[in-house]
Amino acid sequence: MRILDENRGRLARRAQQLRLNARTVADGLRQGAFRSVSRGQGIDFSGVREYLIGDNVRSIDWNVTARMGKPFVKQYEEDRELHVLFVLDRSASMLTGSAGRARLAAASEAAAVLLFAAEQDACAVGAVFFDGAIQWACAPKAGRAQVMALFSRLDRLVGGGVRGSALASALNGAGTLLKRRSLVFVLSDFRADGWLQPLARLSCKHDVVALHVTDPCDTELPAVGTVPFMDGETGERRMLPTSSASFRRAWFEDNRQRTDFWQGECLRHGAYPLALSTADDAVQVLSRFFSQRSR
């Protein structure tokens, strides 16, 4: 069922509560046992000082040494900033859901919690938003201005402007944006083709959490007779017999197979699979996930 969520600004009205809830997620993000969280992977030049006995001669700055007439060595500081990137699916299928809540609303709320958690950990944050094409992309940057810019875009529950899903292109684009090892959250229903190889390539260089956004109707349909269904990505329409026990069993089995495939491929390619239902509390799901990772 397609949900036309006209309640824009919903996240903005809940911003303070989301910030408070993000505290527990921030602790988990810090201790989540991801390779990217092992900070200090990069080093930045910070200046020079006089050479001391025991210093590595390879660190001597010969230009400064020649200018000053005595040896000086280069000094570096560890880059302790964690980079986090969100890849958010806004394709037409993400506008579907039950009980008045769309998958996109659930995904946006989860992304907002993660965004505020990253802010509390002083992370650099960026995003790629897509539907049938890339809507908007920004490389990770640090600072409150960047956090609020991303939050403002998250609060615009719009999508499905271009038919289809550009998930593969978004994953490839994420790899292009990132210049150092990062933590990537992919929030999608994964109803797309061609995403396996881009996901595998991204997971080789970065820590990737594949957050599968689901809905209770994926597994169980209400028995309301023969009703019209439309594929939001292709526009295809069919009449489906929801009261048929055999059809409902087939519906359940098809979803089970697709879910098993998604989870198996994520694990095989090095991504961390995480399921989030529109009926779930995002903070509880994320906190539990990070807690399990830290153990």
Side-chain angles (χ1 to χ4, degrees):
M1 292 169 284
R2 182 182 172 101
I3 306 288
L4 296 179
D5 194 337
E6 299 175 355
N7 191 20
R8 295 187 184 182
R10 177 185 55 84
L11 288 180
R13 288 192 289 274
R14 296 190 57 211
Q16 187 58 36
Q17 185 60 45
L18 290 171
R19 282 184 183 277
L20 292 174
N21 291 342
R23 290 178 180 175
T24 57
V25 178
D27 292 338
L29 186 64
R30 242 186 329 267
Q31 304 164 14
F34 298 104
R35 288 167 293 178
S36 299
V37 181
S38 301
R39 308 184 186 196
Q41 300 160 0
I43 53 176
D44 290 327
F45 175 73
S46 63
V48 296
R49 62 167 173 80
E50 286 192 44
Y51 175 85
L52 299 174
I53 295 175
D55 285 339
N56 191 331
V57 295
R58 287 180 295 182
S59 65
I60 292 177
D61 187 320
W62 294 107
N63 290 329
V64 176
T65 296
R67 208 163 48 241
M68 301 301 293
K70 54 185 176 181
F72 279 77
V73 294
K74 297 177 183 178
Q75 286 187 296
Y76 297 89
E77 290 181 356
E78 285 186 338
D79 179 4
R80 302 186 63 81
E81 186 178 72
L82 173 64
H83 286 203
V84 178
L85 186 78
F86 302 95
V87 180
L88 179 62
D89 187 349
R90 286 179 159 178
S91 63
S93 61
M94 290 289 286
L95 301 178
T96 64
S98 58
R101 193 175 193 218
R103 299 170 205 264
L104 179 56
S108 297
E109 183 171 311
V113 170
L114 289 165
L115 178 64
F116 287 137
E119 179 191 26
Q120 292 178 28
D121 280 351
C123 302
V125 292
V128 178
F129 296 160
F130 69 94
D131 48 21
I134 304 298
Q135 292 181 336
W136 184 79
C138 179
K141 298 178 185 176
R144 182 170 176 77
Q146 174 76 346
V147 170
M148 296 314 298
L150 291 186
F151 182 75
S152 175
R153 288 185 176 273
L154 281 175
D155 203 26
R156 304 171 194 170
L157 290 181
V158 292
V162 179
R163 182 167 288 179
S165 175
L167 177 56
S169 296
L171 294 173
N172 285 327
T176 302
L177 279 177
L178 298 172
K179 304 306 180 184
R180 50 165 287 182
R181 187 167 197 93
S182 304
L183 181 56
V184 183
F185 293 94
V186 183
L187 302 100
S188 173
D189 58 8
F190 290 89
R191 294 174 182 260
D193 296 322
W195 55 268
L196 285 178
Q197 289 308 311
L199 181 74
R201 285 192 294 270
L202 193 64
S203 299
C204 283
K205 297 182 178 179
H206 307 280
D207 285 302
V208 178
V209 178
L211 200 154
H212 187 196
V213 187
T214 66
D215 186 84
C217 70
D218 293 342
T219 56
E220 185 173 358
L221 289 173
V224 290
T226 300
V227 293
F229 279 69
M230 184 183 77
D231 186 321
E233 306 293 3
T234 66
E236 181 183 358
R237 295 175 181 269
R238 287 188 183 182
M239 300 296 292
L240 300 180
T242 62
S243 296
S244 165
S246 60
F247 172 78
R248 291 165 69 183
R249 282 196 302 271
W251 180 275
F252 174 86
E253 181 61 22
D254 178 71
N255 179 73
R256 186 189 65 79
Q257 290 178 5
R258 284 189 287 106
T259 301
D260 288 348
F261 175 80
W262 158 79
Q263 185 174 45
E265 291 301 309
C266 286
L267 292 171
R268 187 163 74 89
H269 293 299
Y272 304 96
L274 173 62
L276 173 71
S277 171
T278 56
D280 286 336
D281 181 298
V283 174
Q284 291 182 2
V285 171
L286 292 169
S287 297
R288 186 166 57 246
F289 172 72
F290 287 125
S291 176
Q292 292 170 348
R293 289 298 315 159
S294 64
R295 291 199 297 269

